[in-house]
């Protein structure tokens, strides 16, 4: 099985062809593809290449499926004995990607 570990927005993701992943919002248009050259590890049918720190001449092609907001998370604050309660919501802005080619 062919897979790679890539660095994207300061985070690491293990991806293989056809995978879909959700990351923080990217400044890319929906439907476009882009390349990530920050490949930290590459497994090509059992042949493992570890980068120092990056694997040379390796890239992963990603396609932007959609951009939007994630599900709402409720965050609550509470202080005992003072009748203080506060609930706020948060929706993280996300981008859904698909791995096209390694």
């Amino acid at each position: 099985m062919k897979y790679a570990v890539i660095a994207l927005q300061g985070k690491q993701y293990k991806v293989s062809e056809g995978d879909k992943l959700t990351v923080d919002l990217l400044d890319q248009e929906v439907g476009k593809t882009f390349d990530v050259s920050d490949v930290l590890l590459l497994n090509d049918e059992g042949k493992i290449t570890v980068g120092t720190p990056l694997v040379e001449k390796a890239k992963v092609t990603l396609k932007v499926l959609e951009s939007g907001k994630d599900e709402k998370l409720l965050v609550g604050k509470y202080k005992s004995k003072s009748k203080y309660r506060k609930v706020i919501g948060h929706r993280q802005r996300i981008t859904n990607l698909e791995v096209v080619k390694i």
Side-chain angles (χ1 to χ4, degrees), residues 30-44:
V30 176
K32 300 284 183 172
T33 60
F34 65 98
D35 294 331
V36 175
S37 59
D38 294 343
V39 179
L40 306 172
L41 182 135
L42 182 65
N43 182 356
D44 190 12

Side-chain angles (χ1 to χ4, degrees), residues 9 21-32 34 63-71 91-98:
Q9 296 178 320
L21 63 143
T22 302
V23 299
D24 291 338
L25 187 68
L26 292 172
D27 189 24
Q28 299 286 339
E29 293 183 25
V30 176
K32 300 284 183 172
F34 65 98
K63 180 180 180 182
V64 179
L65 298 178
E66 65 178 348
S67 293
K69 291 185 178 181
D70 204 3
E71 295 181 8
R91 292 184 70 186
Q92 184 70 31
R93 298 178 69 197
I94 59 169
T95 301
N96 290 327
L97 303 172
E98 181 182 9

Side-chain angles (χ1 to χ4, degrees), residues 53-64:
L54 302 175
V55 178
E56 293 182 16
K57 300 179 184 175
K59 66 179 179 177
V60 175
T61 304
L62 301 172
K63 180 180 180 182
V64 179

